[in-house]
Amino acid sequence: MKVEQIYTGCLAQGAYYIESNGEVAIIDPLRETQSYVDQAEKDGAKIKYIFETHFHADFVSGHIDLAQKTGATIIYGPTANPSFDAHIATDQEVFQLGNITITALHTPGHTMESTTYLLKDENGVDKMIFTGDTLFIGDVGRPDLAQKLDTDLTQEKLAGYLYDSLREKIMPLANDVIVYPAHGAGSACGKNMSKETFDTLGHQKEVNYALNPSLTKEEFVNELISGLMPPPFYFPENVMLNKGGYESLEIVKERGSRALTPDEFIQVAEETNALILDVRDPQIFAAGFIPGAINIGIKGQFAPWVGTLITDIKQPILIVAEEGIEQEAITRLARVGYDNTIGFLKGGIEAWIEARKDVDEIVSVSPEEFVELAEETELNILDVRKPGEFAGSHVEGAITAPLDFINESMKLIDPEETYLVHCAGGYRSMIFTSILRARGYENLIDVAGGFGKIKEVDGVKLVDGTTPCSSKENSCSI
């Protein structure tokens, strides 16, 4: 038996490859499926099953393409109603895979069709569970997504179902069973996931609040629904793609692979009202970019931020990237359902500059320069981290303006005043600054290295453990 976790950091997502005696099951595959096919061929095996733990909201699964390529059966849990051919498992249904078995345990709560898959070895011993978004390491799945598709559901109802699922289906299992979830830290499908991507169930019973046996259902529900950030706009769209079907990745990549000269790039942008998405590193972007472009660096949490900030999943997109990175950008966009990439700038920004096209830039200062400016001038300080990060510690006098809520945050900004903008490490602040620059805000200065470097500078004044503020008037100064 072979079990491999295939973890994709930019999505904080885990897919699983399971092989036994020449038969393979894939759990929650990514949209690019050829690697699974190649691995099965290398193992001299055939992909028999594609198990889906639920209709995913945060990425487009590869189940349909993989089934078409291999003839494998797509399996969902009870109550699922996809528009394509799939086997809808019953609770406790057993699937034979080589010398092992995989049992479907219906565990509603995150969504109503959510199902955990229990793997038993050739001796019938429980070995591991693939929990999807039902149980994470250190957390459980959020209960507020399925209600957007079913008005009869509420997050309180779903949280109650999840409480029962955990206690009736998962907690009775042996402590040495390995927990393999669909996500880790960085995913928006939970609140406080661990950076670890697997653990024993026994250890989770000790450290995961949701598995505390003394927790009442009311306490569990209150804890689970408190402090939930609104889900990204693209989540419902991805659910519908996973439920209803989508174009093959090959078609999407072919459409996006149109190499455009600077003049062609301008023409296509004007004709389609395309968004210009520059995926280069933040500091490289700041030094020179196409006016109106926004920066979401491909080396960070690219796909989740695209989904959070580009609200129309059908938005035409033109890519600016370092040469050789264009296909990776198109693929990562498609992972979260942004299938309308219509081309990229051939030769990158260098070709644009050689063609003598207009170039914009963003002023970026070091943490040391930031501290000097903050002390010597009346400049405003914008902290675009999440509210919880700001509450933990922030620069004295800073205004909290989370990137997650950029449309609300920009209301705090006076276009006539100058602002120093920082996040934790410099990635989110450049996204924030580039979006506002595209909207006409000229007086924003980015702080390279972010709060992580700022707090290391001698003399910087910090405020710790306070309640986040929301305006310049209550900027949490001491």
Side-chain angles (χ1 to χ4, degrees), residues 147-451:
Q147 63 177 346
K148 297 183 181 300
L149 301 174
D150 186 344
T151 55
D152 291 332
L153 293 172
T154 65
Q155 61 182 3
E156 289 80 9
K157 280 185 181 180
L158 285 159
Y161 293 145
L162 183 54
Y163 177 89
D164 293 335
S165 292
L166 293 170
R167 278 146 185 79
E168 295 171 6
K169 300 293 179 64
I170 291 179
M171 290 175 67
L173 297 173
N175 288 341
D176 61 354
V177 166
I178 304 297
V179 178
Y180 283 118
H183 296 292
S187 169
C189 292
K191 292 190 297 183
N192 298 299
M193 282 174 267
S194 169
K195 65 180 180 180
E196 304 300 327
T197 61
F198 64 93
D199 195 6
T200 64
L201 181 57
H203 188 244
Q204 284 302 294
K205 289 177 182 178
E206 294 176 3
V207 301
N208 191 326
Y209 80 93
L211 303 186
N212 183 344
S214 66
L215 201 65
T216 67
K217 181 180 287 191
E218 182 179 6
E219 290 170 338
F220 175 88
V221 171
N222 289 337
E223 175 68 22
L224 187 55
I225 67 177
S226 65
L228 278 175
M229 298 279 284
F233 291 104
Y234 75 104
F235 270 28
E237 300 288 346
N238 275 200
V239 170
M240 298 311 298
L241 287 171
N242 284 318
K243 189 175 182 179
Y246 47 76
E247 285 185 304
S248 73
L249 182 60
E250 285 73 17
I251 292 175
V252 173
K253 291 176 71 173
E254 181 179 356
R255 180 168 54 239
S257 297
R258 182 182 176 191
L260 302 168
T261 66
D263 287 333
E264 291 170 335
F265 192 92
I266 293 170
Q267 181 180 352
V268 172
E270 292 175 346
E271 290 175 350
T272 63
N273 197 28
L275 173 73
I276 301 174
L277 180 61
D278 192 317
V279 304
R280 295 175 297 153
D281 286 355
Q283 291 303 308
I284 296 175
F285 169 84
F289 58 91
I290 296 173
I294 68 169
N295 172 243
I296 304 179
I298 200 166
K299 292 182 181 179
Q301 291 288 314
F302 176 72
W305 281 117
V306 165
T308 298
L309 299 170
I310 303 177
T311 57
D312 182 3
I313 203 168
K314 298 179 181 178
Q315 168 70 50
I317 295 173
L318 288 167
I319 296 292
V320 179
E322 295 180 6
E323 286 196 79
I325 305 298
E326 300 90 355
Q327 289 298 315
E328 179 69 13
I330 296 165
T331 298
R332 291 198 186 187
L333 286 166
R335 283 177 181 168
V336 288
Y338 288 78
D339 289 357
N340 205 16
T341 302
I342 56 176
F344 65 88
L345 179 61
K346 183 179 180 181
I349 196 68
E350 291 79 12
W352 186 267
I353 293 171
E354 289 175 6
R356 299 183 181 278
K357 305 299 183 183
D358 290 341
V359 176
D360 202 351
E361 63 182 30
I362 288 172
V363 176
S364 184
V365 298
S366 70
E368 292 78 13
E369 291 170 323
F370 163 81
V371 173
E372 290 178 8
L373 286 169
E375 290 179 347
E376 297 173 3
T377 69
E378 294 287 329
L379 297 185
N380 304 277
I381 302 169
L382 284 183
D383 186 330
V384 303
R385 297 175 300 160
K386 294 179 183 294
E389 295 174 275
F390 183 89
S393 182
H394 60 267
V395 176
E396 182 181 82
I399 305 165
T400 179
L403 174 62
D404 304 71
F405 311 110
I406 191 168
N407 290 330
E408 292 300 316
S409 295
M410 67 182 290
K411 295 176 183 177
L412 305 173
I413 300 173
D414 183 343
E416 301 302 317
E417 296 191 24
T418 300
Y419 296 81
L420 293 159
V421 185
H422 79 82
C423 60
Y427 181 79
R428 287 174 284 176
S429 61
M430 191 61 71
I431 298 174
F432 186 99
T433 303
S434 70
I435 291 174
L436 265 66
R437 174 63 67 88
R439 294 177 180 180
Y441 289 75
E442 299 287 337
N443 301 319
L444 301 179
I445 300 171
D446 180 73
V447 183
F451 187 73

